[in-house]
Amino acid sequence: MTAQADNERRPADVRMDPEVRTGPDVREGTDVRTGPDVREGAEAREAADVREAGGAPRVLVVQHEDGTGPGLVGEQLVECGLEQRIVHPWAGEELPGSLAGYAGLLVLGGAPNCEDDEAAPWLPAVRTLVREAVGSGVPLLGICLGGQIMASALGGSVVVRKRGPEVGAVPVRRLPAADGDPVFGEVPDGAPAAQWHWDEIGELPPGAVPLLTGDDCLHQAFRIGERAWGVQFHPEVLGDAVAEWAASDGPSVAGAGADPLGAVASVRENEPALREIWSRTARAWAAVVHAHA
């Protein structure tokens, strides 16, 4: 992958080793064995467990690399009474073959290009889940790479930014369709949004509804159908996360003419607004998940 073909950070930051990472965001007992029979049996058992237990609605979270967890969005989902199952396919964990037993799908950001199946061999499975969510009405939220996967998988296009990466806290602009949208309807015009991406959506899928735009990136948020949303920005991060990205990707960003340190400073300066606006938006998506669980 060339310096211009990455998405959020350089390929060297994507860990492709087979070691399964442990820690608080790794669900204990995750079955990482492969094979369709194993997957189907595990999925059926998991779906039955969810139904019989009558517990909190469960959201499947796809994390593409270390250091890019659900962050602020995940915090809000938990506070709203949802359970997260975070899967780390980059670390060897197996994605479920379907959304049986899940009330929502959250696809996070990461460095791979959304069509680079060689660098990220789990992407075809993610596309399958995205198409299933849209086709069956399971609430879906795709963030940055996740939004790009949605666009590409559903008939749109993703392109390398010729202007170099968009980084830092930048304002997003409301479009008419945002009025009344159950997730983005309360986002104020000019709201700051944390950005860090080298690729962008070139064309939305057929039938997609644009909700937010930007001065330097046309497609910042969109809806497909009634319950699927994609964003180009990062509602889940604050200054510390962006500082980590700048530490790894800063030289490439600076070499492309952008200002990584200024990007970090802008996100830190806007943290109160970022936290308030995107926490509220995450809670709105959680309400959609609850309503259709």
Side-chain angles (χ1 to χ4, degrees), residues 117-164:
D117 296 353
E118 183 176 353
W122 59 88
L123 288 177
V126 180
R127 294 188 201 105
T128 296
L129 294 172
V130 163
R131 294 184 183 114
E132 179 186 351
V134 174
S136 62
V138 173
L140 165 63
L141 178 60
I143 292 175
C144 201
L145 173 59
Q148 294 169 0
I149 292 171
M150 290 174 61
S152 176
L154 298 169
S157 65
V158 174
V159 299
V160 178
R161 283 175 53 86
K162 296 180 180 179
R163 304 173 301 286

mmCIF file of all heavy atoms in Angstrom, residues 117-164:
data_model
loop_
_atom_site.group_PDB
_atom_site.id
_atom_site.type_symbol
_atom_site.label_atom_id
_atom_site.label_comp_id
_atom_site.label_asym_id
_atom_site.label_seq_id
_atom_site.Cartn_x
_atom_site.Cartn_y
_atom_site.Cartn_z
ATOM 1 N N ASP A 117 -8.431 -6.248 0.505
ATOM 2 C CA ASP A 117 -8.663 -7.526 1.187
ATOM 3 C C ASP A 117 -7.363 -8.267 1.473
ATOM 4 O O ASP A 117 -7.341 -9.150 2.337
ATOM 5 C CB ASP A 117 -9.571 -8.408 0.334
ATOM 6 C CG ASP A 117 -10.953 -7.820 0.151
ATOM 7 O OD1 ASP A 117 -11.261 -6.795 0.794
ATOM 8 O OD2 ASP A 117 -11.736 -8.373 -0.650
ATOM 9 N N GLU A 118 -6.303 -7.932 0.774
ATOM 10 C CA GLU A 118 -5.023 -8.586 1.041
ATOM 11 C C GLU A 118 -4.446 -8.105 2.364
ATOM 12 O O GLU A 118 -3.963 -8.903 3.175
ATOM 13 C CB GLU A 118 -4.040 -8.310 -0.091
ATOM 14 C CG GLU A 118 -2.696 -9.009 0.084
ATOM 15 C CD GLU A 118 -1.766 -8.799 -1.097
ATOM 16 O OE1 GLU A 118 -2.202 -8.220 -2.113
ATOM 17 O OE2 GLU A 118 -0.592 -9.218 -0.997
ATOM 18 N N ALA A 119 -4.505 -6.814 2.598
ATOM 19 C CA ALA A 119 -3.997 -6.269 3.862
ATOM 20 C C ALA A 119 -4.924 -6.589 5.023
ATOM 21 O O ALA A 119 -4.468 -6.773 6.156
ATOM 22 C CB ALA A 119 -3.817 -4.759 3.746
ATOM 23 N N ALA A 120 -6.211 -6.650 4.760
ATOM 24 C CA ALA A 120 -7.217 -6.902 5.800
ATOM 25 C C ALA A 120 -8.157 -8.002 5.307
ATOM 26 O O ALA A 120 -9.242 -7.718 4.799
ATOM 27 C CB ALA A 120 -7.983 -5.617 6.117
ATOM 28 N N PRO A 121 -7.763 -9.265 5.428
ATOM 29 C CA PRO A 121 -8.538 -10.362 4.831
ATOM 30 C C PRO A 121 -9.908 -10.594 5.451
ATOM 31 O O PRO A 121 -10.677 -11.410 4.930
ATOM 32 C CB PRO A 121 -7.628 -11.581 5.031
ATOM 33 C CG PRO A 121 -6.683 -11.206 6.131
ATOM 34 C CD PRO A 121 -6.501 -9.729 6.034
ATOM 35 N N TRP A 122 -10.229 -9.889 6.531
ATOM 36 C CA TRP A 122 -11.557 -10.018 7.135
ATOM 37 C C TRP A 122 -12.590 -9.083 6.489
ATOM 38 O O TRP A 122 -13.779 -9.168 6.793
ATOM 39 C CB TRP A 122 -11.473 -9.694 8.630
ATOM 40 C CG TRP A 122 -10.963 -8.319 8.931
ATOM 41 C CD1 TRP A 122 -11.690 -7.168 9.027
ATOM 42 C CD2 TRP A 122 -9.597 -7.931 9.148
ATOM 43 N NE1 TRP A 122 -10.876 -6.087 9.293
ATOM 44 C CE2 TRP A 122 -9.582 -6.531 9.376
ATOM 45 C CE3 TRP A 122 -8.394 -8.628 9.182
ATOM 46 C CZ2 TRP A 122 -8.398 -5.835 9.630
ATOM 47 C CZ3 TRP A 122 -7.223 -7.925 9.435
ATOM 48 C CH2 TRP A 122 -7.233 -6.548 9.659
ATOM 49 N N LEU A 123 -12.158 -8.203 5.586
ATOM 50 C CA LEU A 123 -13.089 -7.225 5.022
ATOM 51 C C LEU A 123 -14.264 -7.858 4.277
ATOM 52 O O LEU A 123 -15.388 -7.346 4.376
ATOM 53 C CB LEU A 123 -12.341 -6.247 4.112
ATOM 54 C CG LEU A 123 -11.449 -5.230 4.833
ATOM 55 C CD1 LEU A 123 -10.696 -4.368 3.815
ATOM 56 C CD2 LEU A 123 -12.254 -4.345 5.773
ATOM 57 N N PRO A 124 -14.093 -8.945 3.515
ATOM 58 C CA PRO A 124 -15.272 -9.542 2.883
ATOM 59 C C PRO A 124 -16.343 -9.949 3.886
ATOM 60 O O PRO A 124 -17.544 -9.789 3.623
ATOM 61 C CB PRO A 124 -14.687 -10.761 2.145
ATOM 62 C CG PRO A 124 -13.281 -10.364 1.841
ATOM 63 C CD PRO A 124 -12.837 -9.568 3.038
ATOM 64 N N ALA A 125 -15.928 -10.462 5.047
ATOM 65 C CA ALA A 125 -16.904 -10.836 6.078
ATOM 66 C C ALA A 125 -17.614 -9.608 6.621
ATOM 67 O O ALA A 125 -18.813 -9.657 6.933
ATOM 68 C CB ALA A 125 -16.210 -11.597 7.206
ATOM 69 N N VAL A 126 -16.888 -8.488 6.741
ATOM 70 C CA VAL A 126 -17.520 -7.249 7.221
ATOM 71 C C VAL A 126 -18.546 -6.772 6.196
ATOM 72 O O VAL A 126 -19.643 -6.339 6.557
ATOM 73 C CB VAL A 126 -16.471 -6.166 7.494
ATOM 74 C CG1 VAL A 126 -17.139 -4.881 7.983
ATOM 75 C CG2 VAL A 126 -15.456 -6.633 8.527
ATOM 76 N N ARG A 127 -18.203 -6.833 4.924
ATOM 77 C CA ARG A 127 -19.159 -6.419 3.885
ATOM 78 C C ARG A 127 -20.430 -7.265 3.948
ATOM 79 O O ARG A 127 -21.543 -6.751 3.777
ATOM 80 C CB ARG A 127 -18.518 -6.542 2.503
ATOM 81 C CG ARG A 127 -17.368 -5.598 2.266
ATOM 82 C CD ARG A 127 -16.904 -5.646 0.811
ATOM 83 N NE ARG A 127 -15.550 -5.143 0.704
ATOM 84 C CZ ARG A 127 -14.469 -5.892 0.522
ATOM 85 N NH1 ARG A 127 -14.598 -7.210 0.378
ATOM 86 N NH2 ARG A 127 -13.283 -5.341 0.455
ATOM 87 N N THR A 128 -20.267 -8.555 4.192
ATOM 88 C CA THR A 128 -21.433 -9.431 4.308
ATOM 89 C C THR A 128 -22.330 -8.997 5.454
ATOM 90 O O THR A 128 -23.562 -8.937 5.315
ATOM 91 C CB THR A 128 -20.980 -10.889 4.511
ATOM 92 O OG1 THR A 128 -20.257 -11.331 3.347
ATOM 93 C CG2 THR A 128 -22.169 -11.813 4.731
ATOM 94 N N LEU A 129 -21.739 -8.669 6.594
ATOM 95 C CA LEU A 129 -22.520 -8.220 7.748
ATOM 96 C C LEU A 129 -23.202 -6.887 7.466
ATOM 97 O O LEU A 129 -24.352 -6.671 7.860
ATOM 98 C CB LEU A 129 -21.616 -8.110 8.972
ATOM 99 C CG LEU A 129 -21.035 -9.418 9.509
ATOM 100 C CD1 LEU A 129 -20.000 -9.141 10.587
ATOM 101 C CD2 LEU A 129 -22.143 -10.323 10.055
ATOM 102 N N VAL A 130 -22.487 -5.988 6.787
ATOM 103 C CA VAL A 130 -23.068 -4.687 6.444
ATOM 104 C C VAL A 130 -24.283 -4.870 5.541
ATOM 105 O O VAL A 130 -25.350 -4.266 5.765
ATOM 106 C CB VAL A 130 -22.001 -3.797 5.760
ATOM 107 C CG1 VAL A 130 -22.660 -2.626 5.025
ATOM 108 C CG2 VAL A 130 -21.014 -3.275 6.795
ATOM 109 N N ARG A 131 -24.145 -5.704 4.522
ATOM 110 C CA ARG A 131 -25.277 -5.929 3.610
ATOM 111 C C ARG A 131 -26.444 -6.592 4.334
ATOM 112 O O ARG A 131 -27.612 -6.266 4.081
ATOM 113 C CB ARG A 131 -24.826 -6.776 2.428
ATOM 114 C CG ARG A 131 -23.801 -6.078 1.523
ATOM 115 C CD ARG A 131 -23.467 -6.918 0.312
ATOM 116 N NE ARG A 131 -22.433 -6.294 -0.507
ATOM 117 C CZ ARG A 131 -21.209 -6.789 -0.682
ATOM 118 N NH1 ARG A 131 -20.871 -7.936 -0.094
ATOM 119 N NH2 ARG A 131 -20.327 -6.153 -1.446
ATOM 120 N N GLU A 132 -26.132 -7.500 5.247
ATOM 121 C CA GLU A 132 -27.197 -8.134 6.018
ATOM 122 C C GLU A 132 -27.923 -7.114 6.884
ATOM 123 O O GLU A 132 -29.166 -7.118 6.969
ATOM 124 C CB GLU A 132 -26.638 -9.250 6.892
ATOM 125 C CG GLU A 132 -27.705 -9.932 7.741
ATOM 126 C CD GLU A 132 -27.152 -10.945 8.718
ATOM 127 O OE1 GLU A 132 -25.951 -11.266 8.643
ATOM 128 O OE2 GLU A 132 -27.933 -11.422 9.573
ATOM 129 N N ALA A 133 -27.165 -6.242 7.540
ATOM 130 C CA ALA A 133 -27.788 -5.241 8.409
ATOM 131 C C ALA A 133 -28.736 -4.353 7.612
ATOM 132 O O ALA A 133 -29.876 -4.101 8.030
ATOM 133 C CB ALA A 133 -26.720 -4.401 9.098
ATOM 134 N N VAL A 134 -28.276 -3.866 6.467
ATOM 135 C CA VAL A 134 -29.123 -2.985 5.655
ATOM 136 C C VAL A 134 -30.333 -3.737 5.128
ATOM 137 O O VAL A 134 -31.453 -3.228 5.142
ATOM 138 C CB VAL A 134 -28.298 -2.375 4.505
ATOM 139 C CG1 VAL A 134 -29.199 -1.582 3.567
ATOM 140 C CG2 VAL A 134 -27.204 -1.467 5.062
ATOM 141 N N GLY A 135 -30.112 -4.973 4.674
ATOM 142 C CA GLY A 135 -31.219 -5.735 4.100
ATOM 143 C C GLY A 135 -32.259 -6.166 5.105
ATOM 144 O O GLY A 135 -33.440 -6.281 4.770
ATOM 145 N N SER A 136 -31.833 -6.390 6.355
ATOM 146 C CA SER A 136 -32.762 -6.882 7.373
ATOM 147 C C SER A 136 -33.219 -5.815 8.345
ATOM 148 O O SER A 136 -34.041 -6.089 9.230
ATOM 149 C CB SER A 136 -32.106 -8.029 8.152
ATOM 150 O OG SER A 136 -30.946 -7.584 8.827
ATOM 151 N N GLY A 137 -32.690 -4.600 8.222
ATOM 152 C CA GLY A 137 -33.117 -3.517 9.105
ATOM 153 C C GLY A 137 -32.464 -3.511 10.464
ATOM 154 O O GLY A 137 -32.945 -2.831 11.374
ATOM 155 N N VAL A 138 -31.353 -4.241 10.638
ATOM 156 C CA VAL A 138 -30.617 -4.177 11.899
ATOM 157 C C VAL A 138 -29.888 -2.834 11.956
ATOM 158 O O VAL A 138 -29.162 -2.489 11.022
ATOM 159 C CB VAL A 138 -29.603 -5.333 12.006
ATOM 160 C CG1 VAL A 138 -28.711 -5.167 13.232
ATOM 161 C CG2 VAL A 138 -30.327 -6.668 12.061
ATOM 162 N N PRO A 139 -30.049 -2.038 13.006
ATOM 163 C CA PRO A 139 -29.377 -0.740 13.067
ATOM 164 C C PRO A 139 -27.870 -0.871 12.887
ATOM 165 O O PRO A 139 -27.224 -1.727 13.496
ATOM 166 C CB PRO A 139 -29.743 -0.227 14.461
ATOM 167 C CG PRO A 139 -31.073 -0.865 14.747
ATOM 168 C CD PRO A 139 -30.970 -2.241 14.148
ATOM 169 N N LEU A 140 -27.326 0.005 12.054
ATOM 170 C CA LEU A 140 -25.920 -0.041 11.673
ATOM 171 C C LEU A 140 -25.329 1.355 11.787
ATOM 172 O O LEU A 140 -25.959 2.337 11.400
ATOM 173 C CB LEU A 140 -25.811 -0.540 10.226
ATOM 174 C CG LEU A 140 -24.485 -0.351 9.470
ATOM 175 C CD1 LEU A 140 -23.359 -1.117 10.138
ATOM 176 C CD2 LEU A 140 -24.662 -0.798 8.020
ATOM 177 N N LEU A 141 -24.102 1.421 12.317
ATOM 178 C CA LEU A 141 -23.344 2.661 12.325
ATOM 179 C C LEU A 141 -21.935 2.350 11.868
ATOM 180 O O LEU A 141 -21.243 1.515 12.473
ATOM 181 C CB LEU A 141 -23.316 3.282 13.729
ATOM 182 C CG LEU A 141 -22.505 4.578 13.886
ATOM 183 C CD1 LEU A 141 -23.034 5.675 12.978
ATOM 184 C CD2 LEU A 141 -22.490 5.039 15.344
ATOM 185 N N GLY A 142 -21.493 2.983 10.785
ATOM 186 C CA GLY A 142 -20.139 2.817 10.273
ATOM 187 C C GLY A 142 -19.355 4.098 10.468
ATOM 188 O O GLY A 142 -19.805 5.177 10.062
ATOM 189 N N ILE A 143 -18.180 3.995 11.093
ATOM 190 C CA ILE A 143 -17.353 5.152 11.427
ATOM 191 C C ILE A 143 -16.098 5.152 10.572
ATOM 192 O O ILE A 143 -15.336 4.176 10.591
ATOM 193 C CB ILE A 143 -16.986 5.144 12.918
ATOM 194 C CG1 ILE A 143 -18.228 5.386 13.782
ATOM 195 C CG2 ILE A 143 -15.913 6.169 13.228
ATOM 196 C CD1 ILE A 143 -17.985 5.280 15.273
ATOM 197 N N CYS A 144 -15.862 6.220 9.830
ATOM 198 C CA CYS A 144 -14.688 6.425 8.982
ATOM 199 C C CYS A 144 -14.491 5.225 8.056
ATOM 200 O O CYS A 144 -15.223 5.094 7.092
ATOM 201 C CB CYS A 144 -13.451 6.748 9.813
ATOM 202 S SG CYS A 144 -12.185 7.598 8.820
ATOM 203 N N LEU A 145 -13.528 4.342 8.316
ATOM 204 C CA LEU A 145 -13.397 3.148 7.488
ATOM 205 C C LEU A 145 -14.712 2.385 7.438
ATOM 206 O O LEU A 145 -15.095 1.870 6.382
ATOM 207 C CB LEU A 145 -12.280 2.252 8.033
ATOM 208 C CG LEU A 145 -12.136 0.879 7.379
ATOM 209 C CD1 LEU A 145 -11.873 0.987 5.892
ATOM 210 C CD2 LEU A 145 -11.026 0.078 8.079
ATOM 211 N N GLY A 146 -15.426 2.323 8.559
ATOM 212 C CA GLY A 146 -16.722 1.640 8.569
ATOM 213 C C GLY A 146 -17.709 2.268 7.615
ATOM 214 O O GLY A 146 -18.455 1.573 6.912
ATOM 215 N N GLY A 147 -17.747 3.603 7.565
ATOM 216 C CA GLY A 147 -18.621 4.285 6.621
ATOM 217 C C GLY A 147 -18.184 4.059 5.190
ATOM 218 O O GLY A 147 -19.019 3.924 4.280
ATOM 219 N N GLN A 148 -16.871 4.007 4.963
ATOM 220 C CA GLN A 148 -16.365 3.741 3.623
ATOM 221 C C GLN A 148 -16.700 2.326 3.179
ATOM 222 O O GLN A 148 -17.037 2.094 2.007
ATOM 223 C CB GLN A 148 -14.855 3.979 3.594
ATOM 224 C CG GLN A 148 -14.462 5.423 3.819
ATOM 225 C CD GLN A 148 -12.968 5.591 4.047
ATOM 226 O OE1 GLN A 148 -12.206 4.628 4.033
ATOM 227 N NE2 GLN A 148 -12.547 6.835 4.278
ATOM 228 N N ILE A 149 -16.605 1.362 4.102
ATOM 229 C CA ILE A 149 -17.006 -0.007 3.779
ATOM 230 C C ILE A 149 -18.472 -0.039 3.366
ATOM 231 O O ILE A 149 -18.850 -0.702 2.393
ATOM 232 C CB ILE A 149 -16.750 -0.943 4.972
ATOM 233 C CG1 ILE A 149 -15.248 -1.104 5.207
ATOM 234 C CG2 ILE A 149 -17.402 -2.301 4.751
ATOM 235 C CD1 ILE A 149 -14.895 -1.839 6.486
ATOM 236 N N MET A 150 -19.318 0.674 4.105
ATOM 237 C CA MET A 150 -20.726 0.744 3.744
ATOM 238 C C MET A 150 -20.906 1.276 2.325
ATOM 239 O O MET A 150 -21.634 0.690 1.511
ATOM 240 C CB MET A 150 -21.482 1.635 4.726
ATOM 241 C CG MET A 150 -21.645 1.078 6.112
ATOM 242 S SD MET A 150 -22.410 2.285 7.244
ATOM 243 C CE MET A 150 -24.003 2.547 6.455
ATOM 244 N N ALA A 151 -20.252 2.397 2.038
ATOM 245 C CA ALA A 151 -20.404 3.009 0.719
ATOM 246 C C ALA A 151 -19.963 2.063 -0.379
ATOM 247 O O ALA A 151 -20.672 1.858 -1.377
ATOM 248 C CB ALA A 151 -19.603 4.313 0.659
ATOM 249 N N SER A 152 -18.801 1.459 -0.226
ATOM 250 C CA SER A 152 -18.261 0.570 -1.247
ATOM 251 C C SER A 152 -19.100 -0.687 -1.400
ATOM 252 O O SER A 152 -19.390 -1.124 -2.524
ATOM 253 C CB SER A 152 -16.813 0.209 -0.893
ATOM 254 O OG SER A 152 -16.285 -0.716 -1.807
ATOM 255 N N ALA A 153 -19.496 -1.282 -0.272
ATOM 256 C CA ALA A 153 -20.224 -2.554 -0.314
ATOM 257 C C ALA A 153 -21.623 -2.413 -0.884
ATOM 258 O O ALA A 153 -22.195 -3.389 -1.382
ATOM 259 C CB ALA A 153 -20.297 -3.151 1.094
ATOM 260 N N LEU A 154 -22.187 -1.205 -0.832
ATOM 261 C CA LEU A 154 -23.573 -1.012 -1.225
ATOM 262 C C LEU A 154 -23.732 -0.286 -2.555
ATOM 263 O O LEU A 154 -24.827 0.136 -2.900
ATOM 264 C CB LEU A 154 -24.314 -0.268 -0.114
ATOM 265 C CG LEU A 154 -24.361 -1.016 1.227
ATOM 266 C CD1 LEU A 154 -24.865 -0.112 2.342
ATOM 267 C CD2 LEU A 154 -25.211 -2.276 1.131
ATOM 268 N N GLY A 155 -22.635 -0.155 -3.300
ATOM 269 C CA GLY A 155 -22.747 0.382 -4.650
ATOM 270 C C GLY A 155 -22.187 1.765 -4.865
ATOM 271 O O GLY A 155 -22.283 2.301 -5.979
ATOM 272 N N GLY A 156 -21.580 2.375 -3.834
ATOM 273 C CA GLY A 156 -20.935 3.662 -4.000
ATOM 274 C C GLY A 156 -19.463 3.483 -4.311
ATOM 275 O O GLY A 156 -19.030 2.419 -4.769
ATOM 276 N N SER A 157 -18.661 4.511 -4.058
ATOM 277 C CA SER A 157 -17.228 4.427 -4.339
ATOM 278 C C SER A 157 -16.443 5.159 -3.268
ATOM 279 O O SER A 157 -16.947 6.083 -2.616
ATOM 280 C CB SER A 157 -16.908 5.020 -5.712
ATOM 281 O OG SER A 157 -17.176 6.414 -5.742
ATOM 282 N N VAL A 158 -15.199 4.738 -3.099
ATOM 283 C CA VAL A 158 -14.260 5.363 -2.168
ATOM 284 C C VAL A 158 -12.999 5.683 -2.946
ATOM 285 O O VAL A 158 -12.506 4.852 -3.719
ATOM 286 C CB VAL A 158 -13.962 4.439 -0.971
ATOM 287 C CG1 VAL A 158 -12.875 5.035 -0.076
ATOM 288 C CG2 VAL A 158 -15.228 4.185 -0.172
ATOM 289 N N VAL A 159 -12.464 6.882 -2.752
ATOM 290 C CA VAL A 159 -11.306 7.337 -3.528
ATOM 291 C C VAL A 159 -10.227 7.855 -2.584
ATOM 292 O O VAL A 159 -10.494 8.205 -1.433
ATOM 293 C CB VAL A 159 -11.701 8.442 -4.524
ATOM 294 C CG1 VAL A 159 -12.729 7.928 -5.517
ATOM 295 C CG2 VAL A 159 -12.238 9.672 -3.791
ATOM 296 N N VAL A 160 -9.000 7.889 -3.083
ATOM 297 C CA VAL A 160 -7.903 8.506 -2.356
ATOM 298 C C VAL A 160 -8.042 10.025 -2.477
ATOM 299 O O VAL A 160 -8.299 10.555 -3.558
ATOM 300 C CB VAL A 160 -6.546 8.062 -2.939
ATOM 301 C CG1 VAL A 160 -5.402 8.751 -2.206
ATOM 302 C CG2 VAL A 160 -6.408 6.550 -2.855
ATOM 303 N N ARG A 161 -7.883 10.714 -1.361
ATOM 304 C CA ARG A 161 -7.977 12.168 -1.376
ATOM 305 C C ARG A 161 -6.776 12.763 -2.118
ATOM 306 O O ARG A 161 -5.630 12.591 -1.688
ATOM 307 C CB ARG A 161 -8.012 12.708 0.057
ATOM 308 C CG ARG A 161 -9.359 12.551 0.740
ATOM 309 C CD ARG A 161 -9.272 12.997 2.199
ATOM 310 N NE ARG A 161 -8.723 14.344 2.354
ATOM 311 C CZ ARG A 161 -9.440 15.449 2.288
ATOM 312 N NH1 ARG A 161 -10.745 15.390 2.057
ATOM 313 N NH2 ARG A 161 -8.856 16.632 2.455
ATOM 314 N N LYS A 162 -7.015 13.478 -3.187
ATOM 315 C CA LYS A 162 -5.936 14.121 -3.935
ATOM 316 C C LYS A 162 -5.356 15.307 -3.179
ATOM 317 O O LYS A 162 -4.238 15.738 -3.454
ATOM 318 C CB LYS A 162 -6.452 14.561 -5.300
ATOM 319 C CG LYS A 162 -6.890 13.408 -6.191
ATOM 320 C CD LYS A 162 -7.381 13.900 -7.536
ATOM 321 C CE LYS A 162 -7.823 12.738 -8.412
ATOM 322 N NZ LYS A 162 -8.328 13.190 -9.736
ATOM 323 N N ARG A 163 -6.114 15.830 -2.215
ATOM 324 C CA ARG A 163 -5.667 17.003 -1.465
ATOM 325 C C ARG A 163 -4.857 16.623 -0.228
ATOM 326 O O ARG A 163 -4.498 17.496 0.562
ATOM 327 C CB ARG A 163 -6.885 17.829 -1.042
ATOM 328 C CG ARG A 163 -7.754 18.243 -2.207
ATOM 329 C CD ARG A 163 -9.042 18.909 -1.778
ATOM 330 N NE ARG A 163 -9.894 18.088 -0.939
ATOM 331 C CZ ARG A 163 -10.606 17.060 -1.382
ATOM 332 N NH1 ARG A 163 -10.544 16.688 -2.654
ATOM 333 N NH2 ARG A 163 -11.375 16.370 -0.562
ATOM 334 N N GLY A 164 -4.601 15.352 -0.049
ATOM 335 C CA GLY A 164 -3.918 14.911 1.152
ATOM 336 C C GLY A 164 -4.911 14.645 2.268
ATOM 337 O O GLY A 164 -6.128 14.825 2.115
#
